[in-house]
Amino acid sequence: GAVVSQHPSWVICKSGTSVKIECRSLDFQATTMFWYRQFPKQSLMLMATSNEGSKATYEQGVEKDKFLINHASLTLSTLTVTSAHPEDSSFYICSAGTSYEQYFGPGTRLTVT
Amino acid sequence: QKEVEQNSGPLSVPEGAIASLNCTYSDRGSQSFFWYRQYSGKSPELIMSIYSNGDKEDGRFTAQLNKASQYVSLLIRDSQPSDSATYLCAVSPLSGGYNKLIFGAGTRLAVHP
């Protein structure tokens, strides 16, 4: 299957700072990537759809000014959590689609202190 | 509201048995169906995709799709303790991996020795 990477795998930051998470498709070009958030023992929650060269489409209830998404190339999408607060602590996972299927990155665990 | 329903479990099966995981979906126009496995603390991993009615086999895994009944299932033969995980059913209204997936909440499978 296709390979998707994320960096960093975990990050600890102080409240009020911003954190950038990178998602890369390593062996295929991804015109569309997706960003999810998952709290412990809960389901995946889709945050936004990231399209190369255009603005991201955010799901209802997701603050687009807080979660900035940039998809500048066919292999890279970034999610920036701005002015992070402890309630933003979560497992952030990206996925990227091929012609047939969607593959997930390994996830980034964010802890805001 | 398009929905994907799964029994949350846990589904407990003895080692070597067949585990049967079920999923129903509400959007009759759905085109693509996926099963992902998620270990605790990890991101989802694609196991199977299925697009046509009938069975699709891959090793110990068989996916079954019945569009008339809006039902998709995953059979795991010769279950192993390493199969213990949460299994997520995902559905897309369109074919291909570029489209937003609608996930079920997942079924937790426990395979005991």
Side-chain angles (χ1 to χ4, degrees), chain B residues 5 14 17-19 27-28 43 51 53 56 61 67-68 71-72 74 81 85 88 91 93 95-96 103-104 113:
Chain B
E5 300 284 344
I18 296 176
D27 183 5
R28 184 171 288 277
S43 67
Y51 307 100
N53 280 328
K56 180 181 177 183
F61 300 97
K67 289 186 177 181
Y71 175 94
V72 59
L74 180 70
L88 303 171
V91 174
S95 60
F103 280 90

Short mmCIF file of all heavy atoms in Angstrom, two decimals, chain B residues 5 14 17-19 27-28 43 51 53 56 61 67-68 71-72 74 81 85 88 91 93 95-96 103-104 113:
data_model
loop_
_atom_site.label_atom_id
_atom_site.label_comp_id
_atom_site.label_asym_id
_atom_site.label_seq_id
_atom_site.Cartn_x
_atom_site.Cartn_y
_atom_site.Cartn_z
N GLU B 5 -23.16 2.32 10.86
CA GLU B 5 -23.40 1.75 12.17
C GLU B 5 -22.59 0.47 12.36
O GLU B 5 -22.54 -0.40 11.48
CB GLU B 5 -24.89 1.41 12.34
CG GLU B 5 -25.82 2.61 12.22
CD GLU B 5 -25.83 3.49 13.45
OE1 GLU B 5 -25.35 3.04 14.50
OE2 GLU B 5 -26.29 4.64 13.35
N PRO B 14 -12.41 -16.98 20.63
CA PRO B 14 -11.22 -17.75 20.99
C PRO B 14 -10.23 -17.80 19.83
O PRO B 14 -10.62 -17.70 18.66
CB PRO B 14 -11.78 -19.13 21.32
CG PRO B 14 -13.03 -19.23 20.52
CD PRO B 14 -13.59 -17.84 20.44
N ALA B 17 -10.70 -19.21 15.96
CA ALA B 17 -12.10 -19.12 15.53
C ALA B 17 -12.24 -18.07 14.42
O ALA B 17 -11.30 -17.34 14.10
CB ALA B 17 -13.00 -18.76 16.71
N ILE B 18 -13.45 -18.02 13.85
CA ILE B 18 -13.76 -17.00 12.86
C ILE B 18 -14.43 -15.81 13.57
O ILE B 18 -15.39 -15.98 14.30
CB ILE B 18 -14.72 -17.54 11.78
CG1 ILE B 18 -14.04 -18.65 10.99
CG2 ILE B 18 -15.16 -16.41 10.84
CD1 ILE B 18 -14.95 -19.33 9.96
N ALA B 19 -13.89 -14.64 13.34
CA ALA B 19 -14.50 -13.42 13.87
C ALA B 19 -15.31 -12.77 12.76
O ALA B 19 -14.84 -12.64 11.63
CB ALA B 19 -13.44 -12.46 14.38
N ASP B 27 -26.66 5.47 3.39
CA ASP B 27 -26.70 6.06 2.05
C ASP B 27 -26.68 4.97 0.99
O ASP B 27 -25.65 4.35 0.72
CB ASP B 27 -25.51 7.01 1.87
CG ASP B 27 -25.54 7.72 0.52
OD1 ASP B 27 -26.53 7.55 -0.24
OD2 ASP B 27 -24.57 8.44 0.22
N ARG B 28 -27.83 4.77 0.36
CA ARG B 28 -27.94 3.70 -0.63
C ARG B 28 -27.04 3.93 -1.84
O ARG B 28 -26.69 3.00 -2.54
CB ARG B 28 -29.41 3.59 -1.06
CG ARG B 28 -29.71 2.46 -2.01
CD ARG B 28 -31.22 2.29 -2.21
NE ARG B 28 -31.86 1.73 -1.03
CZ ARG B 28 -31.90 0.44 -0.74
NH1 ARG B 28 -31.33 -0.43 -1.55
NH2 ARG B 28 -32.52 0.01 0.35
N SER B 43 -2.62 4.73 14.56
CA SER B 43 -3.54 5.22 13.54
C SER B 43 -4.16 4.05 12.79
O SER B 43 -3.66 2.92 12.85
CB SER B 43 -2.80 6.14 12.57
OG SER B 43 -1.86 5.42 11.81
N TYR B 51 -15.84 -2.93 -3.58
CA TYR B 51 -16.66 -2.01 -4.36
C TYR B 51 -17.87 -2.67 -5.00
O TYR B 51 -18.83 -2.00 -5.36
CB TYR B 51 -15.82 -1.38 -5.48
CG TYR B 51 -14.55 -0.74 -4.98
CD1 TYR B 51 -13.33 -1.41 -5.09
CD2 TYR B 51 -14.55 0.52 -4.39
CE1 TYR B 51 -12.16 -0.83 -4.63
CE2 TYR B 51 -13.38 1.10 -3.93
CZ TYR B 51 -12.20 0.42 -4.05
OH TYR B 51 -11.04 0.99 -3.58
N ASN B 53 -20.79 -6.03 -5.15
CA ASN B 53 -21.48 -7.03 -4.35
C ASN B 53 -20.74 -8.35 -4.39
O ASN B 53 -20.16 -8.74 -5.41
CB ASN B 53 -22.90 -7.25 -4.89
CG ASN B 53 -23.86 -6.18 -4.44
OD1 ASN B 53 -23.73 -5.62 -3.34
ND2 ASN B 53 -24.82 -5.86 -5.28
N LYS B 56 -14.80 -10.68 -1.20
CA LYS B 56 -13.42 -10.40 -1.62
C LYS B 56 -12.50 -10.92 -0.53
O LYS B 56 -12.65 -10.57 0.63
CB LYS B 56 -13.21 -8.90 -1.81
CG LYS B 56 -11.80 -8.53 -2.24
CD LYS B 56 -11.65 -7.04 -2.40
CE LYS B 56 -10.23 -6.65 -2.76
NZ LYS B 56 -10.06 -5.17 -2.85
N PHE B 61 -8.56 -12.67 5.65
CA PHE B 61 -9.66 -11.70 5.67
C PHE B 61 -10.57 -11.86 4.47
O PHE B 61 -10.11 -12.05 3.35
CB PHE B 61 -9.11 -10.27 5.69
CG PHE B 61 -8.25 -9.95 6.87
CD1 PHE B 61 -6.87 -10.02 6.78
CD2 PHE B 61 -8.82 -9.59 8.08
CE1 PHE B 61 -6.07 -9.72 7.87
CE2 PHE B 61 -8.03 -9.29 9.17
CZ PHE B 61 -6.65 -9.36 9.08
N LYS B 67 -25.17 -4.59 -1.34
CA LYS B 67 -25.67 -3.23 -1.50
C LYS B 67 -27.19 -3.16 -1.33
O LYS B 67 -27.72 -2.16 -0.84
CB LYS B 67 -25.26 -2.66 -2.85
CG LYS B 67 -23.78 -2.34 -2.97
CD LYS B 67 -23.47 -1.65 -4.28
CE LYS B 67 -22.01 -1.28 -4.37
NZ LYS B 67 -21.69 -0.58 -5.65
N ALA B 68 -27.89 -4.22 -1.71
CA ALA B 68 -29.35 -4.21 -1.57
C ALA B 68 -29.74 -4.11 -0.10
O ALA B 68 -30.70 -3.43 0.27
CB ALA B 68 -29.95 -5.45 -2.22
N TYR B 71 -25.25 -3.46 3.60
CA TYR B 71 -24.58 -4.22 4.64
C TYR B 71 -23.20 -4.64 4.12
O TYR B 71 -23.06 -5.09 2.99
CB TYR B 71 -25.44 -5.46 4.90
CG TYR B 71 -24.91 -6.48 5.85
CD1 TYR B 71 -25.24 -6.45 7.19
CD2 TYR B 71 -24.11 -7.52 5.39
CE1 TYR B 71 -24.79 -7.43 8.05
CE2 TYR B 71 -23.64 -8.50 6.24
CZ TYR B 71 -23.99 -8.46 7.57
OH TYR B 71 -23.55 -9.42 8.42
N VAL B 72 -22.19 -4.44 4.97
CA VAL B 72 -20.85 -4.90 4.64
C VAL B 72 -20.26 -5.58 5.87
O VAL B 72 -20.51 -5.14 7.00
CB VAL B 72 -19.97 -3.72 4.14
CG1 VAL B 72 -19.85 -2.64 5.18
CG2 VAL B 72 -18.61 -4.19 3.70
N LEU B 74 -16.87 -8.11 7.59
CA LEU B 74 -15.48 -8.56 7.53
C LEU B 74 -15.37 -9.84 8.34
O LEU B 74 -15.76 -9.86 9.52
CB LEU B 74 -14.54 -7.51 8.10
CG LEU B 74 -13.05 -7.89 8.09
CD1 LEU B 74 -12.51 -7.91 6.65
CD2 LEU B 74 -12.23 -6.92 8.95
N PRO B 81 -4.44 -13.70 18.61
CA PRO B 81 -4.43 -12.60 19.61
C PRO B 81 -3.96 -11.28 19.02
O PRO B 81 -4.42 -10.21 19.45
CB PRO B 81 -3.48 -13.13 20.67
CG PRO B 81 -3.64 -14.62 20.61
CD PRO B 81 -3.81 -14.92 19.14
N ALA B 85 -8.04 -5.67 18.23
CA ALA B 85 -7.95 -4.27 17.84
C ALA B 85 -9.37 -3.75 17.64
O ALA B 85 -10.34 -4.49 17.79
CB ALA B 85 -7.16 -4.11 16.54
N LEU B 88 -12.67 -0.56 12.06
CA LEU B 88 -13.48 0.56 11.60
C LEU B 88 -14.01 0.28 10.19
O LEU B 88 -13.24 -0.06 9.29
CB LEU B 88 -12.64 1.84 11.56
CG LEU B 88 -11.98 2.27 12.87
CD1 LEU B 88 -11.02 3.42 12.63
CD2 LEU B 88 -13.04 2.68 13.88
N VAL B 91 -17.24 4.20 4.64
CA VAL B 91 -18.04 4.19 3.43
C VAL B 91 -17.86 5.52 2.70
O VAL B 91 -17.76 6.58 3.33
CB VAL B 91 -19.54 4.00 3.80
CG1 VAL B 91 -20.42 4.13 2.59
CG2 VAL B 91 -19.74 2.65 4.47
N PRO B 93 -19.39 7.90 -0.73
CA PRO B 93 -20.43 7.98 -1.76
C PRO B 93 -19.89 7.84 -3.17
O PRO B 93 -20.66 7.63 -4.10
CB PRO B 93 -21.03 9.38 -1.53
CG PRO B 93 -19.91 10.16 -0.92
CD PRO B 93 -19.15 9.18 -0.07
N SER B 95 -16.43 6.51 -5.83
CA SER B 95 -15.31 5.57 -5.92
C SER B 95 -14.00 6.34 -5.79
O SER B 95 -13.94 7.53 -6.04
CB SER B 95 -15.37 4.81 -7.24
OG SER B 95 -15.29 5.72 -8.32
N GLY B 96 -12.96 5.64 -5.39
CA GLY B 96 -11.65 6.26 -5.28
C GLY B 96 -11.34 6.74 -3.88
O GLY B 96 -12.22 6.85 -3.03
N PHE B 103 -17.06 7.19 8.71
CA PHE B 103 -16.62 6.08 9.54
C PHE B 103 -17.70 5.66 10.53
O PHE B 103 -18.44 6.49 11.07
CB PHE B 103 -15.37 6.47 10.34
CG PHE B 103 -14.11 6.40 9.55
CD1 PHE B 103 -13.66 7.49 8.84
CD2 PHE B 103 -13.36 5.24 9.51
CE1 PHE B 103 -12.48 7.43 8.10
CE2 PHE B 103 -12.18 5.16 8.78
CZ PHE B 103 -11.75 6.25 8.08
N GLY B 104 -17.75 4.38 10.78
CA GLY B 104 -18.49 3.89 11.92
C GLY B 104 -17.66 4.11 13.18
O GLY B 104 -16.48 4.46 13.11
N PRO B 113 -6.49 -16.37 23.96
CA PRO B 113 -5.80 -17.65 23.72
C PRO B 113 -6.60 -18.83 24.27
O PRO B 113 -7.37 -18.69 25.20
CB PRO B 113 -4.48 -17.50 24.49
CG PRO B 113 -4.33 -16.04 24.73
CD PRO B 113 -5.71 -15.46 24.78
#
